[in-house]
Amino acid sequence: MMTSFFDQFASPSFLGIPLIAIAIALPWLLFPTPSSRWMNSRLTTLQTWFINRFTNQLLTPLNMGGHKWALMFTSLMMFLITINMLGLLPYTFTPTTQLSLNMGLAVPLWLATVIIGMRNQPTVALGHLLPEGTPIPLIPVLIIIETISLFIRPLALGVRLTANLTAGHLLIQLIATAVFVLLPMMPTVAILTATVLFLLTLLEVAVAMIQAYVFVLLLSLYLQENV
């Protein structure tokens, strides 16, 4: 029996071996492999259509230099969506509820966009730290504020993804526990609570997809400022 609602977010282990690596690698086995045939399966056709639409919408605002990131962004999007969706299944572990994993994805990618901006157009990249038309007395203060906001970006990326998924999982567990407790005593209330639980689960499916999209979208916006 679980001693705390937060125990579900602890990284599982078997014989002292952490299983988070298996949880991260498993989604790649679920993707259908491309076929050399003209007529693919329905699953491959649906996956291709989704990837094309997502890539087109995400990279249209970027110039040709940013299109080099298309494969990375699309792979990251599919990876996060699959992990988030698998985490909604019973008796599963969601790696994206770990802040360390999300920060491990957010910090290197954010840093790569900053380095690209500093290398290709350092004047424009540094110009983002000082808005045009700023009064002279406010220049030092604004530079400090914009610098802090720049370094907060990866933290916001990782915390946003972690907090949304953690809150959703906790809320589902709390309502599910209430259903089991109320079922012997008040069946009608338990049925109504179970209906709320079902609707909340549908909402969490949407949140799992939306948060993966927002994570990649913000990275593309950061890239857009530096290419």
Side-chain angles (χ1 to χ4, degrees), residues 44-78:
T44 307
T45 303
L46 180 62
Q47 179 189 8
T48 304
W49 175 84
F50 173 77
I51 291 177
N52 288 337
R53 294 298 302 170
F54 165 73
T55 307
N56 183 37
Q57 181 178 359
L58 188 67
L59 299 179
T60 297
L62 301 178
N63 54 27
M64 294 303 297
H67 291 180
K68 300 176 183 178
W69 291 57
L71 181 59
M72 180 182 296
F73 281 163
T74 305
S75 301
L76 181 61
M77 171 77 172
M78 297 295 296

Side-chain angles (χ1 to χ4, degrees), residues 14 51 129 141 148-149 156-157 174 190 220:
F14 180 72
I51 291 177
L129 302 179
V141 178
I148 294 175
S149 66
L157 277 177
L174 287 171
S220 68

Side-chain angles (χ1 to χ4, degrees), residues 1-13:
M1 182 178 295
M2 298 177 58
T3 58
S4 172
F5 286 120
F6 290 93
D7 287 347
Q8 61 176 318
F9 304 113
S11 179
S13 60

Side-chain angles (χ1 to χ4, degrees), residues 40-127:
N40 294 326
S41 64
R42 291 183 177 89
L43 181 59
T44 307
T45 303
L46 180 62
Q47 179 189 8
T48 304
W49 175 84
F50 173 77
I51 291 177
N52 288 337
R53 294 298 302 170
F54 165 73
T55 307
N56 183 37
Q57 181 178 359
L58 188 67
L59 299 179
T60 297
L62 301 178
N63 54 27
M64 294 303 297
H67 291 180
K68 300 176 183 178
W69 291 57
L71 181 59
M72 180 182 296
F73 281 163
T74 305
S75 301
L76 181 61
M77 171 77 172
M78 297 295 296
F79 176 68
L80 291 178
I81 285 181
T82 309
I83 283 184
N84 294 346
M85 297 292 288
L86 289 176
L88 294 175
L89 297 176
Y91 302 103
T92 56
F93 170 68
T94 312
T96 44
T97 57
Q98 304 294 314
L99 183 60
S100 57
L101 174 65
N102 296 331
M103 294 302 295
L105 294 174
V107 172
L109 293 173
W110 163 82
L111 187 60
T113 61
V114 174
I115 292 175
I116 287 177
M118 292 296 182
R119 185 188 65 179
N120 295 340
Q121 43 184 10
T123 304
V124 177
L126 293 176

Side-chain angles (χ1 to χ4, degrees), residues 115-212:
I115 292 175
I116 287 177
M118 292 296 182
R119 185 188 65 179
N120 295 340
Q121 43 184 10
T123 304
V124 177
L126 293 176
H128 290 303
L129 302 179
L130 184 64
E132 186 177 357
T134 303
I136 295 179
L138 295 179
I139 289 179
V141 178
L142 280 180
I143 291 178
I144 295 175
I145 293 175
E146 292 297 328
T147 303
I148 294 175
S149 66
L150 177 65
F151 285 97
I152 286 179
R153 285 179 175 182
L155 182 62
L157 277 177
V159 172
R160 178 186 291 107
L161 183 58
T162 304
N164 281 278
L165 295 178
T166 302
H169 283 62
L170 281 176
L171 194 56
I172 287 178
Q173 185 173 357
L174 287 171
I175 297 180
T177 304
V179 172
F180 281 106
V181 172
L182 294 174
L183 190 57
M185 299 181 295
M186 294 179 287
T188 304
V189 178
I191 293 175
L192 294 176
T193 309
T195 304
V196 175
L197 177 62
F198 176 74
L199 296 177
L200 179 62
T201 304
L202 296 180
L203 177 63
E204 283 304 310
V205 171
V207 169
M209 295 186 290
I210 291 173
Q211 288 303 317

Side-chain angles (χ1 to χ4, degrees), residues 210-221:
I210 291 173
Q211 288 303 317
Y213 174 74
V214 169
F215 189 90
V216 180
L217 177 64
L218 291 177
L219 283 175
S220 68
L221 295 178

